[in-house]
Amino acid sequence: MSTSTPDLDHLLQVALDTVAQAAQIAQDPARREGLDVRTKSGRNDLVTAVDRAVEDFVADRLQARTGLPLLGEEGHSIDSFQGLVWVLDPVDGTMNFVETRRDYAVSLALCEDGVPLVGVVADVVGGHVYSAVRGQGASCDGEPLGALGQGPARTDCVIITDLKEMQALPRLAQCLVESRGHRRYGSAALECVEVACGRAGAFVHMWVAPWDIAAAALICQEAGAVFTRLDGTPLDVRHKGSVLVAPPRTHAELLQRLMIDPS
């Protein structure tokens, strides 16, 4: 960590203001007439003109107000994570944005040496904004989130995951059979927030990027969830990889069943 102490309350307000304006850009009906949908790594990995417009707006806005570098999914890069760095997913859930027009988010985090200090996730269509400051708890629309506590047994909750995880992890598929069922929303940030709010018991994913989870990780941790890699090792948001998010009891039971118990 650097020796300076950032004004986190001020930076949270900057993030909230910026994300609110970014959400307005994403919802602008006029922009849907020229989405310019393109593929990136595969046919289901999309980027649109709105993704790029939101990222450019946020980058310019944060540069003007804070002078800090930004890592964005759609092209803004950094030399390193040393010091204070903004991390942005301009439209988390681009497939939803294009196809269903709901369940997508603007996700913005401020990290110091790779550790999230401020996190904001806006559910654009749902109209809710989730936020957190390290050591100060998590909120939804400015109201504190209730403490998660230990969480339910893994058999007594809904687990958020995807088909590719079920196919790759037979034990996870069995956990789903034994659970109350599974859901998938298509935005990692919003899926993590479901856990933070106690509306889902766990989120399991094999491959997330820094911009997917930097803000959501802090919100979950401040709400009392355990946020690790799939094998239980600590999660470093600077690197892509797997994620297992759940309240302490639920996390421990899933980790035991997925990684430790005999097959």
Side-chain angles (χ1 to χ4, degrees):
M1 292 287 188
S2 65
T3 57
S4 61
T5 303
D7 184 345
L8 297 184
D9 290 336
H10 169 69
L11 291 167
L12 172 63
Q13 194 57 56
V14 170
L16 288 168
D17 293 345
T18 303
V19 167
Q21 293 178 69
Q24 291 180 353
I25 295 172
Q27 284 189 298
D28 183 355
R31 292 183 179 273
R32 285 202 165 270
E33 298 179 5
L35 280 183
D36 187 23
V37 181
R38 303 180 187 181
T39 60
K40 296 191 288 185
S41 63
R43 65 185 298 269
N44 292 330
D45 184 13
L46 305 182
V47 60
T48 73
V50 174
D51 295 72
R52 295 187 289 270
V54 170
E55 181 161 318
D56 288 344
F57 165 79
V58 172
D60 291 345
R61 176 83 170 180
L62 293 177
Q63 178 62 37
R65 295 194 65 179
T66 71
L68 298 173
L70 178 136
L71 172 66
E73 181 178 11
E74 307 309 338
H76 287 79
S77 61
I78 55 176
D79 294 330
S80 78
F81 265 98
Q82 184 176 358
L84 293 169
V85 174
W86 293 104
V87 181
L88 172 72
D89 194 332
V91 180
D92 183 44
T94 301
M95 181 66 76
N96 290 346
F97 175 76
V98 172
E99 298 292 342
T100 69
R101 303 191 180 186
R102 60 180 175 85
D103 294 328
Y104 61 90
V106 178
S107 175
L108 178 64
L110 177 68
C111 298
E112 186 174 26
D113 299 338
V115 177
L117 300 181
V118 171
V120 176
V121 172
D123 179 350
V124 177
V125 176
H128 297 295
V129 178
Y130 304 88
S131 61
V133 174
R134 180 163 293 277
Q136 297 184 25
S139 300
C140 175
D141 300 330
E143 296 296 322
L145 293 181
L148 284 175
Q150 290 300 302
R154 65 175 177 83
T155 55
D156 292 330
C157 68
V158 168
I159 299 172
I160 301 176
T161 194
D162 197 4
L163 177 61
K164 61 182 176 297
E165 277 73 31
M166 301 178 212
Q167 293 175 327
L169 302 167
R171 291 188 182 194
L172 175 60
Q174 185 59 38
C175 283
L176 297 178
V177 171
E178 297 165 353
S179 75
R180 297 214 182 254
H182 83 280
R183 300 290 184 271
R184 180 74 170 109
Y185 301 100
S187 161
L190 292 183
E191 288 164 331
C192 289
V193 164
E194 289 293 293
V195 177
C197 292
R199 296 189 291 255
F203 171 56
V204 181
H205 205 289
M206 294 181 65
W207 191 251
V208 291
W211 42 80
D212 295 319
I213 48 89
L218 180 61
I219 293 168
C220 287
Q221 290 165 342
E222 288 296 317
V226 180
F227 209 105
T228 69
R229 295 299 186 196
L230 192 54
D231 62 0
T233 54
L235 184 139
D236 186 334
V237 302
R238 294 173 292 185
H239 305 293
K240 296 180 179 180
S242 65
V243 66
L244 171 59
V245 188
R249 175 189 178 186
T250 318
H251 186 282
E253 291 187 8
L254 280 171
L255 182 63
Q256 180 73 29
R257 184 67 190 96
L258 292 173
M259 296 292 164
I260 301 172
D261 283 347
S263 59

